Each structure stands twice: as structure tokens, then as C-alpha cells.
Amino acid sequence: MKRNILLIFGIIILSIILAIPFGNFLNKYVFTIRGGFGTFSLPTDLSSIINGLVVAYLFSVSFILISFCKSHRLILTIILSLPAIIFSYIISIQYLFWSVIFFISGLIIALIIQKLLKSKSSQV
């Protein structure tokens, strides 16, 4: 139980760290924001944090829980990622698509790390 709580704190810290790079990616390649008459403009770092926080959170949840959680990893992953997926659906379908892409990429990286650690421990 104590380990799972520490992993949740790790998820929060990692998603805050990754929010700006993921947000910059989304701002640059996915969402083209154009200013104009009557638009509310935010500073670029703030808009990067806002855009990237949900996808960084989903990436962190799938990566950390699948990699390091010992018990109930799938249940915790589903419970912790479901509100962010619903929030992404409310924002837009395009944002939901990229949220799912980042979630799946976290899963794939976590599974690769597990395979490498298992093969390394079996060689010793």
C-alpha cells in the first residue's frame, strides 16, 4: 500500500515535469492556435502546460504503474486514467486521440522495460 502511494506521487511529479515538452509537441504539431480579433491568448509556456498536463498524466500513469507496481496494476491504471480520458473526450475527439496515443506509448515503453529487466535477471 505504501509503495502504491509513493508511485502515485511519482506519477504526479513526472507528469508535471513532462507537461511542457508534451504540450509544446501538441501546440506545434497538433493544435495550430492562431490569434486574431476577439481571441484570448495565453503565454506559450502556460498553454503548453495546460495542453500537455493531461497527456503527460496518462503517459505517466501507464508507464509507472505497469513498470513498478507489484499488485493490482491494471485496476489502478484503469481507475487513475479513466477521469483523464473522460476529460479528454469532453475537450475534443482529436485531443482524446492524442491522449490515447500517449497512454498506449507509455504502456509499450513499460512492457519493453519489463521484458528487458526479466531477460537481464534470467541471464545472471
Side-chain angles (χ1 to χ4, degrees), residues 68-85:
F68 303 112
C69 190
K70 297 287 185 192
S71 62
H72 308 294
R73 70 175 68 170
L74 291 176
I75 295 170
L76 283 174
T77 304
I78 291 169
I79 289 172
L80 291 176
S81 63
L82 196 58
I85 298 240

Side-chain angles (χ1 to χ4, degrees), residues 34-114:
R34 295 185 179 104
F37 179 74
T39 60
F40 178 73
S41 79
L42 293 171
T44 56
D45 287 338
L46 183 60
S47 66
S48 295
I49 289 172
I50 291 170
N51 281 339
L53 193 59
V54 174
V55 293
Y57 173 76
L58 286 170
F59 176 83
S60 300
V61 164
S62 62
F63 174 69
I64 289 179
L65 288 181
I66 297 298
S67 294
F68 303 112
C69 190
K70 297 287 185 192
S71 62
H72 308 294
R73 70 175 68 170
L74 291 176
I75 295 170
L76 283 174
T77 304
I78 291 169
I79 289 172
L80 291 176
S81 63
L82 196 58
I85 298 240
I86 292 170
F87 180 74
S88 299
Y89 176 73
I90 291 170
I91 291 175
S92 73
I93 296 297
Q94 185 180 14
Y95 196 73
L96 175 67
F97 172 75
W98 284 101
S99 298
V100 170
I101 292 294
F102 277 96
F103 181 77
I104 292 173
S105 65
L107 285 174
I108 290 171
I109 292 172
L111 293 174
I112 289 171
I113 288 174
Q114 280 185 341

